[in-house]
Amino acid sequence: MARKKYYSDMLKIDIKRAMLTSEGHTNLEIATEIKSNELLCLFGHSGAGKTTLLRILAGLTKPDKGRIIFNNTVWFDSEKKINLSPQQRNVGYMFQDYALFPNMTVEHNISFAQKIKDKKEVEKLMKLFDLDILRNQHPEKLSGGQKQRVALARALAAKPNLLLLDEPLSALDIDMRLALQYEIKKAHEILNTITLMISHDLQEVFHLAGSVIMLRNGTIINQGRTEEVLGKKPEKQIYNKYNV
Amino acid sequence: MNKDFIDTLTLTGKLAGSTTLILLAIGFPLAYILAYKRFFIKPFIEALISMPMVLPPTVLGFYLLVIYSPQNAFGRWLEQTFDLRLAFSFEGILLASVIFSLPFMIQPLQNGLISIPKSYRETAYTLGKSEFTTFIRVLMPNMIPSIITAIAMTFAHCIGEFGVIIMVGGNIPNETRVASIAIYDEVQAMNFQAANQYSFVLFIISLLILTVIFSMNGKKKILF
């Protein structure tokens, strides 16, 4: 099921976008390159531009100017007037509310995501995320943790180029969060591509992310290995230090 | 039951059914555009669609009569091209009914679309689904109560239409004489028994339709 890739994906971002936050107008100005197939965490206070950045990468929000290039494919170029639609970018995006389709069962939610129908692949994904017994359930009957697993399985079923997770664990209690961090790691390893995840939880960041991009007021203030950016121990003072 | 009674009710059903079907075809794309697209004249279009809810039916009926007249461009074009005169014909009252019932179809559909979380649509797009596929597979199945409300409201409103029909269609048996017109006509002729028959049927149909609508309010979604 894992994609056989012997190369690293590359994502180049250089964009500007005006944002309206609770603190007023600000600009999102991001210029960075991600060169390895790792799980990166976007970290920063509310209104820093984390969700806007993910939406821009998915093609759901249009930057004012700049360029986004993924593996030599231009996704966005304001000068050349290129702006690939979300459909063309093939990005797995997991919303905070998981956005499972209420009219579909667990199995249908997953199979709906497939470009080419493959029942065996759906079965594999359901087994992998322990969803076998829930296959005929509708989302309204599922717990938060079960919904998260379905959303991950659905994102993987589309075989996306890039996995974007917008606070995937924020709606869950602490025990569930710990259990499902493993599922996120598993999804990232299966996909073997760049995964960008927003999180406010330092324990979570240390447990999951190899690297961190720290945002403040729309700009990157630090980027690098998790320990280098956030320090060695995820203690409470780090929250205060970064005003999170 | 006499033949006139059956013919009038059949014509009423035909008018309401045809209007509802036409408005379903027009209503989905129009409601989709109004719910999700932003453009400069959108408030004007929304106001125009809602006009029948505040405008006296006779005003609309009068303007339609003017437009239908062969002395004006549209009426002349219809007559010369299709040999069709809309004034005092079934086609004429059908067009009037479609225009007059437009808000009763559009508004429930538009509200239904707006009430669906944006993340459903956006997730479908990121999964590679087109706007059309997203509409058919994700949006429509999650707004069934709104669709049923729109159909029921449109049908019920058509059955009760009076002002526009009398202005545009008059009272021609088997052509434009629908139940609401027949009630008025029978009362004028002091034939209260016939008026009562028509009124009772309209009363029951309207009550049934409204019961369906209110029962929908209790069901947030229909799963299939």
Side-chain angles (χ1 to χ4, degrees):
Chain A
M1 194 179 301
R3 298 201 310 172
K4 285 177 187 167
K5 280 201 299 196
Y6 303 103
Y7 59 90
S8 284
D9 292 304
M10 188 163 70
L11 180 64
K12 283 187 194 172
I13 310 166
D14 183 6
I15 51 100
K16 282 185 184 175
R17 159 92 191 183
M19 294 192 301
L20 182 63
T21 68
S22 56
E23 291 166 15
H25 288 278
T26 183
N27 283 318
L28 180 70
E29 290 190 39
I30 302 292
T32 187
E33 282 186 20
I34 300 165
K35 290 179 178 171
S36 60
N37 290 353
E38 62 179 339
L39 198 156
L40 286 99
C41 196
L42 285 174
F43 197 69
H45 61 76
S46 294
K50 305 181 297 294
T51 297
T52 307
L53 177 58
L54 285 201
R55 290 181 59 83
I56 284 172
L57 291 175
L60 299 170
T61 297
K62 191 181 169 189
D64 296 330
K65 58 180 174 175
R67 294 201 323 158
I68 302 169
I69 299 169
F70 181 81
N71 288 351
N72 299 322
T73 305
V74 179
W75 281 2
F76 179 80
D77 190 326
S78 55
E79 281 181 13
K80 292 181 181 168
K81 302 209 182 303
I82 297 170
N83 184 20
L84 297 193
S85 66
Q87 289 89 341
Q88 292 168 307
R89 294 185 194 199
N90 190 24
V91 161
Y93 195 112
M94 199 166 120
F95 287 86
Q96 275 184 53
D97 64 357
Y98 308 126
L100 299 177
F101 305 130
N103 58 307
M104 299 182 196
T105 61
V106 166
E107 187 176 358
H108 286 145
N109 262 284
I110 297 168
S111 64
F112 178 71
Q114 292 183 313
K115 268 92 187 167
I116 300 159
K117 296 296 163 208
D118 183 348
K119 206 166 164 36
K120 278 185 186 167
E121 185 78 8
V122 175
E123 293 295 330
K124 272 186 197 172
L125 283 167
M126 283 199 296
K127 205 164 225 171
L128 198 70
F129 288 95
D130 275 335
L131 298 167
D132 292 48
I133 52 165
L134 302 170
R135 64 169 63 230
N136 294 320
Q137 296 285 349
H138 284 87
E140 64 177 10
K141 299 270 172 67
L142 304 180
S143 69
Q146 289 166 338
K147 284 180 186 171
Q148 194 248 22
R149 280 167 18 219
V150 179
L152 275 175
R154 182 178 66 180
L156 260 59
K159 295 189 168 63
N161 288 319
L162 195 64
L163 190 58
L164 306 173
L165 311 172
D166 189 353
E167 295 191 53
L169 303 170
S170 64
L172 308 173
D173 60 50
I174 187 70
D175 292 337
M176 193 64 86
R177 288 174 89 128
L178 290 171
L180 291 170
Q181 283 175 9
Y182 168 72
E183 306 290 343
I184 289 177
K185 216 164 189 168
K186 190 161 69 180
H188 168 71
E189 281 162 9
I190 291 167
L191 210 53
N192 189 22
T193 185
I194 298 165
T195 298
L196 273 168
M197 182 181 101
I198 295 175
S199 177
H200 286 115
D201 186 324
L202 275 175
Q203 295 279 358
E204 207 168 277
V205 177
F206 271 89
H207 190 245
L208 288 173
S211 297
V212 171
I213 296 174
M214 181 164 273
L215 293 177
R216 183 178 290 168
N217 296 329
T219 52
I220 295 176
I221 57 166
N222 208 346
Q223 179 175 356
R225 306 299 303 165
T226 308
E227 308 81 45
E228 290 165 14
V229 175
L230 298 174
K232 293 232 170 190
K233 287 180 184 173
E235 291 170 355
K236 201 168 184 180
Q237 60 262 34
I238 299 176
Y239 283 90
N240 300 331
K241 184 180 163 189
Y242 293 106
N243 194 24
V244 172
Chain B
M1 282 186 206
N2 64 40
K3 191 175 175 299
D4 275 357
F5 182 76
I6 301 292
D7 287 348
T8 302
L9 286 185
T10 307
L11 189 73
T12 308
K14 187 179 156 191
L15 178 68
S18 308
T19 302
T20 307
L21 283 177
I22 292 168
L23 279 177
L24 262 180
I26 299 170
F28 277 119
L30 205 51
Y32 185 89
I33 291 166
L34 292 174
Y36 298 142
K37 309 287 179 189
R38 277 188 285 180
F39 49 97
F40 180 63
I41 57 163
K42 187 172 151 181
F44 174 73
I45 302 287
E46 284 180 313
L48 205 60
I49 288 169
S50 301
M51 281 292 273
M53 298 183 87
V54 293
L55 204 65
T58 43
V59 174
L60 184 72
F62 169 71
Y63 282 124
L64 283 174
L65 265 185
V66 172
I67 292 167
Y68 288 176
S69 167
Q71 290 175 350
N72 292 310
F74 180 68
R76 193 163 46 242
W77 175 76
L78 279 178
E79 191 167 35
Q80 288 170 358
T81 314
F82 301 106
D83 192 24
L84 184 69
R85 274 197 178 208
L86 287 179
F88 305 105
S89 69
F90 178 76
E91 290 77 9
I93 60 169
L94 179 60
L95 181 59
S97 182
V98 165
I99 293 169
F100 203 57
S101 298
L102 200 56
F104 296 90
M105 178 63 79
I106 299 295
Q107 287 186 357
L109 293 182
Q110 190 181 344
N111 291 336
L113 287 166
I114 289 169
S115 71
I116 295 173
K118 193 179 171 189
S119 57
Y120 292 1
R121 264 188 302 144
E122 292 186 332
T123 296
Y125 298 159
T126 60
L127 293 173
K129 308 302 172 189
S130 66
E131 281 194 58
F132 183 73
T133 304
T134 302
F135 181 73
I136 299 292
R137 299 285 307 276
V138 177
L139 302 179
M140 266 179 74
N142 287 304
M143 56 179 284
I144 299 288
S146 300
I147 296 170
I148 292 174
T149 302
I151 292 171
M153 288 290 285
T154 306
F155 193 85
H157 183 251
C158 281
I159 282 179
E161 255 170 34
F162 178 78
V164 176
I165 307 292
I166 197 101
M167 288 287 285
V168 173
N171 182 14
I172 305 166
N174 286 322
E175 189 67 29
T176 63
R177 190 180 199 253
V178 292
S180 58
I181 307 287
I183 294 167
Y184 178 77
D185 193 40
E186 299 293 2
V187 170
Q188 293 295 303
M190 306 286 277
N191 190 357
F192 295 125
Q193 196 191 350
N196 185 35
Q197 280 180 334
Y198 287 120
S199 300
F200 184 73
V201 171
L202 291 198
F203 180 86
I204 294 296
I205 291 174
S206 301
L207 184 65
L208 283 175
I209 288 171
L210 287 175
T211 306
V212 168
I213 293 171
F214 283 111
S215 70
M216 282 294 117
N217 289 341
K219 295 176 188 172
K220 284 192 174 167
K221 41 190 147 339
I222 293 173
L223 305 172
F224 57 85

